[in-house]
Amino acid sequence: MADVERWRREFPFLDGDNPAAYLDNGASTQKPRAVIERMRQFAGHEYANVHRGIHELSERSTAVYEGSRERARKFFNAATAESIVFTRGTTEAVNLVAFAWGGQNVKSGDTILLTEMEHHSNMVPWQQLAARTGATIKYVPVLENGAGLDLDAARTLLAERPRIFAFTHISNTMAVENPVKDLCLLARENGVTTLIDAAQSAAHIPVDVQEIGCDFLACSAHKMCGPTGIGVLYGRHEILAQMPPWQFGGEMVDRVEFTGAKFRPPPARFEAGTPAIIESAGLHAALDFVDSVGLESIAAHSSALAEYAAEKLRALPGVRVFGPSGERAHLVTFAVEGVHAHDLAFFCNDRRVAIRAGHHCAQPLMRKLGAPASARASFHFYNTPAESDRLVDAIAEAIRFFNP
Ligand code: PLP
């Protein structure tokens, strides 16, 4: 990407003297000035609670909050703003669907279909739903070394008509981009509801919910240059309108009697209590920022860096790189024979390279692949080939130190 240095200057963390190489973007991204400043301005000068006040400040604040919803609608090309529910993040969005939609639609004897490459956030809520209802969970297997999903198995499992197929867009460990559009079409042909975990894809590749044809999609602002504490659940409006609420209290009610309550239509029905108002202003600024960089450029740049790192890491002795051998999404997960992943991460940290180590919230998959602990470097549009080289040099040094 031509403008990396220009974009780096927009981030206080990256704009200093010789900053650490931040290669943990899969966990969370750095924040640009535009987001920090927008939140500061909003909190300092425009803030009040939303939807309740008659006073001008509350009306302005409500307009900002609802403006962020409209901005998210546009970002994901949802048909209506009423399809956008603000949650605390991907995890809460999946829990919302598992409780509200799942409680209504999943019964004993039903099947819930996931994949082996899911993050715990898109696995444990479904396991709990299965335990509550007596449903069974099945998993689409991954191919050798996590190189992708077994799509023949997916076809067979979808033909068995599970109640829902919940799966990740981009794997946070295998760097695989799943063919979401084809899988949603296949699901639709079999009458299966779909949920896409877009935590890793939403700020890395263009995500158009109408083109993908999913029923639900979940993501987190903090992985998109935005603040923590807010995320988006997209739901097809016809489905959201049929779903009961999952949390109860103020804001989500139309009328309350001593004996009961009538609930508002979506999205308010799913946003009980005071929402993340300041964070919504930050999310708006983050989506503007990501769009100004351009998702096509971000996708090309971050996956080129991951491919570059994967190739160099593979050439080091005893290194096993997981996922596809060619094209990959913005990250690379790897293990080194005889060196624990935590030692690799400590070694990198000493050389001011920030990477992730552990199970990456995908314990079942990493155990299946025989690597309960591994290291992961994840890139974004503000990373450079020089930072990738710093990673590879640090790992090479660690190998020489631990495996002399
Ligand atoms: N799904 C995937 C694929 C992820 O990578 C993550 C976070 O790492 C999550 C879900 C959970 O996101 P959050 O912790 O923001 O809810």
Side-chain angles (χ1 to χ4, degrees), residues 279-312:
E279 291 79 0
S280 83
L283 170 63
H284 190 145
L287 298 182
D288 285 349
F289 188 85
V290 166
D291 266 346
S292 69
V293 181
L295 282 155
E296 304 282 355
S297 315
I298 293 174
H301 181 81
S302 53
S303 59
L305 281 178
E307 283 157 23
Y308 175 68
E311 201 183 310
K312 297 230 162 176

Side-chain angles (χ1 to χ4, degrees), residues 26 89-91 119 121 168 170 172 197 199-200 220 222-223:
T90 310
T91 304
H119 187 281
S121 299
T168 194
I170 290 180
N172 70 313
D197 174 349
Q200 291 297 333
S220 305
H222 71 92
K223 293 184 196 285

Side-chain angles (χ1 to χ4, degrees), residues 67 111 169 172 251 338:
T111 302
H169 195 173
N172 70 313
E251 298 271 329

Side-chain angles (χ1 to χ4, degrees), residues 28-350:
S28 205
T29 58
Q30 293 298 326
K31 315 302 172 202
R33 282 198 181 84
V35 169
I36 299 165
E37 276 309 304
R38 179 65 191 115
M39 290 173 74
R40 200 187 60 79
Q41 161 68 23
F42 179 69
H45 303 282
E46 300 170 48
Y47 178 76
N49 209 331
V50 291
H51 296 145
R52 321 181 165 178
I54 304 296
H55 56 85
E56 192 189 326
L57 206 52
S58 176
E59 281 178 10
R60 267 174 59 192
S61 198
T62 301
V64 168
Y65 183 69
E66 292 305 326
S68 302
R69 196 189 306 281
E70 169 56 23
R71 184 66 184 88
R73 180 207 69 72
K74 194 166 155 224
F75 190 83
F76 294 111
N77 192 31
T80 67
E82 285 72 33
S83 295
I84 303 293
V85 178
F86 286 133
T87 65
R88 281 197 302 123
T90 310
T91 304
E92 190 174 82
V94 177
N95 274 281
L96 191 166
V97 178
F99 271 90
W101 181 90
Q104 191 180 46
N105 291 284
V106 176
K107 301 184 181 49
S108 177
D110 286 344
T111 302
I112 297 162
L113 185 60
L114 310 176
T115 83
E116 287 181 345
M117 62 169 71
E118 296 315 309
H119 187 281
H120 296 163
S121 299
N122 196 30
M123 191 178 281
V124 183
W126 302 111
Q127 290 173 341
Q128 292 298 305
L129 174 65
R132 284 196 300 278
T133 57
T136 304
I137 298 195
K138 290 192 180 176
Y139 295 92
V140 177
V142 294
L143 301 172
E144 174 97 24
N145 200 41
L149 285 180
D150 181 340
L151 294 176
D152 289 336
R155 218 164 280 121
T156 307
L157 287 161
L158 281 168
E160 293 173 7
R161 296 176 173 263
R163 291 299 293 142
I164 189 162
F165 181 28
F167 61 106
T168 194
H169 195 173
I170 290 180
S171 160
N172 70 313
T173 49
M174 297 298 115
V176 167
E177 181 186 336
N178 287 318
V180 281
K181 197 174 159 183
D182 295 347
L183 287 169
C184 285
L185 178 62
L186 208 55
R188 250 194 333 279
E189 285 170 358
N190 287 287
V192 179
T193 299
T194 46
L195 178 144
I196 294 185
D197 174 349
Q200 291 297 333
S201 59
H204 280 273
I205 56 175
V207 174
D208 179 327
V209 290
Q210 295 192 68
E211 196 196 326
I212 292 171
C214 54
D215 294 309
F216 298 105
L217 182 135
C219 67
S220 305
H222 71 92
K223 293 184 196 285
M224 308 172 70
C225 298
T228 51
I230 190 165
V232 167
L233 170 68
Y234 159 79
R236 227 163 25 82
H237 194 250
E238 307 78 66
I239 298 194
L240 288 181
Q242 300 295 321
M243 279 163 52
W246 76 308
Q247 289 180 345
F248 302 85
E251 298 271 329
M252 49 80 69
V253 278
D254 225 1
R255 185 183 168 87
V256 181
E257 307 281 355
F258 282 122
T259 47
K262 191 168 168 293
F263 308 122
R264 289 171 67 193
R269 180 184 303 174
F270 302 109
E271 295 178 2
T274 298
I277 308 166
I278 300 169
E279 291 79 0
S280 83
L283 170 63
H284 190 145
L287 298 182
D288 285 349
F289 188 85
V290 166
D291 266 346
S292 69
V293 181
L295 282 155
E296 304 282 355
S297 315
I298 293 174
H301 181 81
S302 53
S303 59
L305 281 178
E307 283 157 23
Y308 175 68
E311 201 183 310
K312 297 230 162 176
L313 287 167
R314 252 192 225 104
L316 298 177
V319 172
R320 175 181 176 196
V321 172
F322 297 94
S325 50
E327 274 181 33
R328 58 172 51 237
H330 57 278
L331 56 100
V332 53
T333 301
F334 59 99
V336 178
E337 213 181 311
V339 189
H340 195 278
H342 286 166
D343 288 332
L344 293 175
F346 278 123
F347 220 84
C348 284
N349 187 53
D350 274 352

